[in-house]
Amino acid sequence: MLNFIKKNKFYLIFILIVIVGMYLRFYKIDDYRTFGWDQARDAWKVRDIIKGQIVLIGPRTGVGQFHLGPFWYYLLAPFYYLTSMDPKAANYLNILVNIFNFTVIFIITKKIYDKNAALFVSFIYATNRYLIEINRVPWNVSLVPGVALLIFYAIYKVVYEKKYKWILVLCSLVGLFFHLHFSVVFLPLIIL
C-alpha cells in the first residue's frame, strides 16, 4: 500500500485537490445554485429536444443577434430525460463538466511544464473564489476553461512542436467553441 502511495502520490494529491474543488463548488448547491434566465431557456430547449424537435440554433449572446451552436442543449438532454425534466439535471452535467475542466487543466499543464506546476495550477483553479462561483452555474460557458486550454495546447503542438496534424484538432476545437461563447469570433485571428 505504501509503495502504491509513493508511486502515485502526485495523482492522489490531484484527486484530493479535485475533491476539495468539487466540494467548494457543489456543497449545498440547492441553496447557492442560481436558476436564472439562461437555465430556464436551456430547460425549454432541452424539453423541445426530448419531445423530438431538432434544435439547430443555440443561445443568443448579449452581442446583437449572434447565436451560438446548440451543443450545450444536446449535452443537457440525457440528464433532463433521466431526471424527468427536473431542473437539478443541469447540476449533474455541471459536475461532469467541472471534472473535465480539472482533468484537462492538470494533464495539459503536466505535459507542458511538470507535475508540480500541474498540481499548483489545479489547486489555484480549485480554490479561486471567482472560479468557484462561476463554476456553480450550469450554463454553456461552463466548458470554456477546458476547451480553451485544449485550443491553447493544439496551438502549442502546431507552433512549437511543428506537429501539423494538430491543425485538424485545433479547427475542431474552435468549431466546438462556437457552441460555448461569443469570444470565439476572435480565435481565428488570434490563431493566425
Side-chain angles (χ1 to χ4, degrees), residues 27 114 129:
Y27 176 70
D114 63 13
R129 183 178 174 91

Side-chain angles (χ1 to χ4, degrees), residues 17-34:
I17 289 170
V18 171
I19 289 170
V20 168
M22 297 301 283
Y23 174 81
L24 292 172
R25 283 160 174 76
F26 295 105
Y27 176 70
K28 291 188 176 183
I29 194 64
D30 287 337
D31 295 337
Y32 299 111
R33 172 180 57 100
T34 59

